[in-house]
């Protein structure tokens, strides 16, 4: 195996703590692009250079450069914004982006279609709303996920606060972001800059943290490099079980890459949380693969070192031994829709946002509707880890007004849609994602319709089957945790994966390779017929497929983890 550092390592090292040549790149008015090395650096500032792939061929024929633009992603730990911030983000989407807000699978907002000339103004506008985009992308700790609604119980709120503070704690300290985008002037005679936690080459790869509050696993906690599962004893937060080394990304045709569920390694008290998070992160910093980015995630580092050695490494760095795992039980992933009452009598409405895209479309003025809700709403908006939205902290009397706005703008999918449609996830894919091999977000509505038709033909229209679609094997919709998943391979062709559970504790497996829609629907039709005829009471589709040995089970986290 090569030990030569990957090119991105050299770019990071030469970047002078994430400055690169971005000033020059932004000033160059001859192109809508930035310099190639800067495309790696700008990610750390929360932005990706992209081009409109629908126009790529046409522009190539016209000998024009690709239609470059930038995607911008926010750092919003736990996905919370105020109504004022919502209105600011909405205005930015209209003024600078493609008139849509995209809610992501990591509780963040994405803007698409921002042109280079307006990138700085857009980032300034985002920061003016007291939201930033620092390390929303790049080889650092990313946006921290937390079970969507901290207002359901006091413990939810407490966990949310730990997650928010951990996100801050793991933020890079480089001033590059403030200097480049917010015109901060470097202090004359100041100490040379340093990154005490990350070092000048940051992490070998992205690093992701999630906090779950059982029985909800809406964050898919085992899909993350580092997962914390809240342990609630006598109604109080006792601490967290720690999971390490989860990850979804894989490459077609390369068996040395694979999705993996995290391994549970022990228990920490809230007071030990930061130390253990740092220990895991720095162990990955120092032992992760910096030669091959495909093998650089923590899951591969742990496979290389062995789980026991990795745990010892974490304990040595932390300076104490992890506690024994405590009992917990996760009952479901995905979101719960509609109104729910919180512990203090306030109300929370979870809306279904299809594939996370909020835009105005004929008969469904969602962007306008949510703007109008933001004008009258006094609580918060909370993004879920499944691309949906909670209108949170609503007084009993304000519910009617919100309901009316929801209904008049077609935002009431949670009342009308089948369980399949409510729970389906799709990544962005075409036209903006440079890595997409097939459609996902744009294909989701018609795919769901076709699967709904099949389900209805077998009397299964109310089966709450989890469907996830990704335009390539990187797994941004966490497809390997779908009971049914389509993973893009080529235009119109997908790998059909089957058999995950609905708790986020079992991965699915490959059932049909490189299939077109007709073949996929035919395969599902036969399986639905069998499921309708032979399923056990309340048996989930994924569990049925495993019981009937239609798919074999990869490693599964036990249903109940008992000490
Ligand atoms: Fe992702 C890369 C979109 C969540 C695994 N992801 C990308 C890029 C930036 C493409 C690129 O590198 O050029 C996509 C931008 C598309 C676009 O046009 O907007 C992209 N990822 C997304 C989002 C927007 C999907 C969505 O529809 O919601 C999610 C944004 C999250 C956020 O707010 O931070 C998103 N990506 C995920 C997840 C799910 C999660 O984190 O819970 C995963 C799987 C979990 C994991 O990381 O293991 C994921 N994205 C990847 C990977 C594969 C990483 C790997 O280990 O191999 C890539 C490619 C890469 O990093 O090289 C990638
Ligand atoms: Fe793009 Fe692939 Fe992620 Fe979908 S899964 S957004 S196609 S990188």
């Amino acid at each position: 195996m090569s030990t030569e550092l990957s090119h991105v390592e050299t770019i990071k090292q030469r970047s002078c703590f994430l400055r690169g040549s971005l000033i020059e790149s932004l000033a160059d008015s001859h192109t809508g692009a930035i310099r190639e090395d800067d495309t790696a650096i700008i990610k750390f500032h929360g932005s990706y250079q992209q081009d409109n792939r629908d126009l790529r061929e046409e522009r190539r024929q016209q000998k024009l450069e690709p239609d470059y633009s930038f995607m911008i992603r926010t750092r919003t730990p736990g996905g919370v914004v105020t109504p004022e911030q919502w209105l600011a983000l909405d205005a930015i989407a209209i003024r600078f982006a493609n008139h849509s807000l995209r809610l992501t699978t990591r509780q963040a907002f994405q803007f698409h279609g921002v042109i280079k000339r307006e990138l700085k103004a857009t980032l300034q506008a985002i920061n003016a709303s007291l939201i930033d985009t620092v390390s929303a992308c790049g080889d650092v700790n990313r946006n921290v996920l937390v079970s969507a609604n901290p207002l359901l119980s006091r413990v939810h709120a407490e966990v949310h606060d730990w997650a928010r503070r951990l996100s801050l704690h793991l933020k890079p300290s480089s001033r590059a972001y403030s200097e480049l985008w917010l015109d901060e002037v470097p202090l004359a005679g100041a100490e040379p800059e340093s990154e005490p936690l990350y070092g000048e080459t940051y992490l070998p790869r992205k690093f992701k943290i999630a906090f779950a509050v059982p029985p909800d696993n809406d964050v898919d906690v085992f899909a993350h490099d580092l997962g914390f599962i809240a342990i609630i004893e006598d109604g109080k937060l006792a601490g967290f079980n720690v999971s390490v080394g989860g990850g979804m990304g894989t490459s077609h045709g390369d068996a040395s890459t694979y999705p993996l569920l995290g391994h549970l390694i022990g228990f920490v008290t809230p007071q030990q949380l930061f130390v253990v998070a740092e220990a895991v992160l720095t162990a990955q910093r120092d032992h992760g693969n910096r030669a091959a980015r495909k093998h650089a995630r923590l899951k591969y580092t742990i496979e290389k070192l062995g789980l026991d050695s990795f745990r010892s490494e974490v304990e040595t760095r932390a300076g104490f031994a992890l506690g024994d795992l405590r009992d917990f039980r996760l009952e479901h992933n995905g979101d719960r829709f509609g109104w729910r009452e919180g512990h203090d009598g306030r109300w929370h409405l979870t809306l279904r946002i299809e594939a996370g895209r909020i835009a105005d479309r004929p008969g469904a003025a969602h962007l306008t509707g949510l703007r109008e809700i933001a004008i009258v709403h006094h609580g918060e908006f909370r993004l879920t880890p499944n691309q949906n939205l909670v209108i949170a902290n609503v007084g009993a009397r304000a519910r009617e007004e919100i309901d009316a706005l929801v209904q008049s703008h077609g935002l009431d999918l949670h009342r009308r849609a089948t369980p399949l449609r409510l729970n389906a996830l799709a990544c962005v894919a075409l036209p903006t994602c440079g890595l997409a091999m097939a459609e996902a977000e744009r294909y989701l509505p018609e795919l769901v319709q076709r699967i709904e038709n099949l389900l209805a033909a077998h009397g299964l229209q109310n089966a709450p089957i989890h469907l996830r679609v990704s335009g390539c094997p990187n797994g941004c919709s966490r497809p390997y945790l779908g009971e049914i998943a389509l993973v893009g391979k080529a235009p119109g062709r997908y790998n059909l994966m089957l058999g995950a559970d609905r708790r986020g504790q079992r991965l699915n497996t490959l059932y049909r390779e490189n299939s077109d829609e007709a073949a996929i629907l035919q395969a599902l039709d036969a399986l639905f017929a069998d499921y309708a005829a032979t399923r056990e009471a309340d048996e989930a589709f994924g569990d049925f497929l495993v019981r009937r040995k239609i798919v074999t089970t990869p490693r599964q986290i036990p249903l109940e983890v008992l000490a």
Side-chain angles (χ1 to χ4, degrees):
M1 192 188 288
S2 160
T3 49
E4 207 176 296
L5 291 182
S6 75
H7 184 50
V8 177
E9 290 301 314
T10 315
I11 297 174
K12 286 186 283 188
Q13 196 191 5
R14 289 190 193 142
S15 75
C16 184
F17 296 106
L18 307 179
R19 290 166 179 83
S21 55
L22 274 165
I23 290 189
E24 293 79 3
S25 272
L26 294 173
D28 182 354
S29 56
H30 294 98
T31 167
I34 56 176
R35 295 179 186 176
E36 202 177 326
D37 284 3
D38 289 333
T39 61
I41 294 304
I42 202 166
K43 294 179 188 178
F44 290 79
H45 301 260
S47 181
Y48 274 73
Q49 177 174 300
Q50 303 184 316
D51 73 284
N52 185 338
R53 293 184 56 185
D54 287 347
L55 302 179
R56 226 182 236 184
E57 184 51 24
E58 185 186 320
R59 290 181 69 94
R60 196 185 61 77
Q61 282 177 11
Q62 292 170 355
K63 303 204 171 7
L64 294 170
E65 73 170 13
D67 183 25
Y68 289 116
S69 67
F70 291 80
M71 175 269 271
I72 300 176
R73 188 184 284 166
T74 61
R75 187 178 61 88
T76 32
V80 51
V81 295
T82 63
E84 293 72 29
Q85 288 172 324
W86 185 280
L87 291 172
L89 296 176
D90 168 78
I92 291 166
I94 292 168
R95 163 74 181 81
F96 296 110
N98 66 353
H99 291 232
S100 80
L101 284 170
R102 179 58 157 72
L103 315 186
T104 75
T105 49
R106 295 196 69 77
Q107 297 179 299
F109 292 88
Q110 277 190 189
F111 298 96
H112 289 104
V114 177
I115 55 172
K116 184 172 91 171
R117 165 157 55 78
E118 297 190 330
L119 196 49
K120 186 165 174 176
T122 312
L123 286 166
Q124 290 190 339
I126 293 172
N127 278 268
S129 71
L130 302 182
I131 294 173
D132 68 53
T133 66
V134 177
S135 68
C137 322
D139 298 342
V140 276
N141 174 51
R142 301 291 191 85
N143 199 39
V144 176
L145 294 197
V146 201
S147 273
N149 198 339
L151 304 164
L152 287 178
S153 73
R154 288 199 170 80
V155 173
H156 277 80
E158 215 180 318
V159 173
H160 206 275
D161 200 47
W162 280 110
R164 186 188 57 75
R165 286 162 52 197
L166 183 61
S167 167
L168 265 185
H169 185 72
L170 300 178
K171 211 172 132 181
S173 52
S174 163
R175 302 303 303 167
Y177 185 91
S178 307
E179 285 172 23
L180 282 168
W181 310 108
L182 308 177
D183 296 328
E184 181 181 279
V185 181
L187 282 181
E191 290 280 299
E193 197 160 42
S194 69
E195 280 285 8
L197 185 60
Y198 289 103
E200 64 175 357
T201 49
Y202 295 82
L203 298 179
R205 206 62 165 90
K206 55 177 72 165
F207 186 87
K208 298 183 172 178
I209 300 180
F211 286 74
V213 184
D216 291 351
N217 189 17
D218 53 348
V219 297
D220 280 326
V221 68
F222 297 110
H224 302 264
D225 297 277
L226 178 55
F228 291 108
I229 299 160
I231 301 298
I232 303 159
E233 289 170 353
D234 300 326
K236 295 208 174 76
L237 179 67
F240 303 91
N241 281 347
V242 181
S243 152
V244 291
M248 295 276 103
T250 168
S251 304
H252 286 312
D254 180 351
S256 70
T257 66
Y258 35 81
L260 212 60
L261 293 181
H263 311 266
L264 286 161
I265 56 167
F267 170 86
V268 294
T269 64
Q271 289 66 33
Q272 295 171 326
L273 181 75
F274 284 17
V275 178
V276 167
E278 262 193 41
V280 173
L281 184 138
T282 57
Q284 159 66 355
R285 178 195 66 195
D286 299 341
H287 294 285
N289 186 332
R290 289 187 185 258
R293 288 182 67 77
K294 264 189 184 182
H295 299 122
R297 291 293 291 272
L298 179 62
K299 60 184 174 182
Y300 302 117
T301 313
I302 293 175
E303 300 257 301
K304 180 178 73 177
L305 297 179
L307 186 60
D308 289 342
S309 308
F310 184 78
R311 185 195 287 109
S312 306
E313 177 77 27
V314 170
E315 291 180 334
T316 306
R317 285 171 188 252
F320 53 81
L322 297 173
D324 291 337
L325 287 173
R326 306 260 177 116
D327 301 356
F328 70 96
R329 183 180 164 85
L330 296 169
E331 284 173 7
H332 44 75
N333 57 3
D335 293 332
R336 316 291 98 197
F337 293 92
W339 286 104
R340 291 172 86 187
E341 191 177 5
H343 66 99
D344 54 359
R346 305 284 290 174
W347 289 86
H348 315 289
L349 174 63
T350 305
L351 297 178
R352 167 66 183 161
I353 306 291
E354 203 157 44
R357 182 72 67 180
I358 301 175
D360 281 348
R361 299 193 176 102
H366 292 174
L367 194 65
T368 302
L370 287 164
R371 185 183 316 127
E372 292 192 9
I373 291 173
I375 291 169
V376 299
H377 180 39
H378 299 294
E380 304 89 51
F381 289 91
R382 297 185 179 270
L383 314 192
T384 81
N386 298 294
Q387 305 172 327
N388 295 312
L389 179 66
V390 187
I391 300 176
N393 206 358
V394 178
R397 269 182 296 173
R399 280 179 60 179
E400 231 173 85
E401 185 179 22
I402 300 230
D403 267 337
L405 288 169
V406 162
Q407 189 153 2
S408 59
H409 293 87
L411 282 159
D412 56 345
L413 210 57
H414 60 286
R415 293 211 196 97
R416 296 180 274 121
T418 60
L420 179 86
R421 189 174 292 268
L422 284 180
N423 288 303
L425 295 182
C427 72
V428 178
L430 293 162
T432 51
C433 177
L435 306 177
M437 299 170 176
E439 296 281 352
E441 179 184 323
R442 294 197 294 198
Y443 175 44
L444 188 71
E446 59 188 277
L447 173 70
V448 167
Q449 179 68 63
R450 288 182 188 135
I451 299 180
E452 277 174 347
N453 293 345
L454 284 184
L455 286 170
H458 296 290
L460 294 169
Q461 57 278 14
N462 292 321
I465 296 174
H466 285 192
L467 166 72
R468 298 184 174 186
V469 184
S470 273
C472 84
N474 282 315
C476 298
S477 58
R478 298 188 291 271
Y480 310 109
L481 285 166
E483 291 180 285
I484 302 175
L486 271 63
V487 175
K489 195 126 200 243
R493 302 190 85 89
Y494 298 84
N495 283 355
L496 175 62
M497 318 282 302
L498 296 176
D501 64 359
R502 278 190 219 139
R503 298 181 189 86
Q505 294 186 194
R506 183 177 69 229
L507 293 173
N508 55 24
T509 44
L510 181 64
Y511 184 68
R512 291 277 186 275
E513 203 168 353
N514 201 21
S515 299
D516 62 12
E517 186 185 73
I520 289 169
L521 293 179
Q522 195 181 19
L524 290 178
D525 195 22
L527 294 170
F528 291 160
D530 195 4
Y531 179 53
T534 64
R535 72 189 151 147
E536 293 177 347
D538 294 330
E539 189 174 33
F541 185 58
D543 296 343
F544 160 82
L545 295 171
V546 171
R547 177 178 60 80
R548 299 265 288 133
K549 299 196 171 41
I550 292 165
V551 292
T552 46
T553 331
R555 188 175 76 89
Q556 170 167 349
I557 313 269
L559 283 194
E560 278 170 275
V561 177
L562 301 176

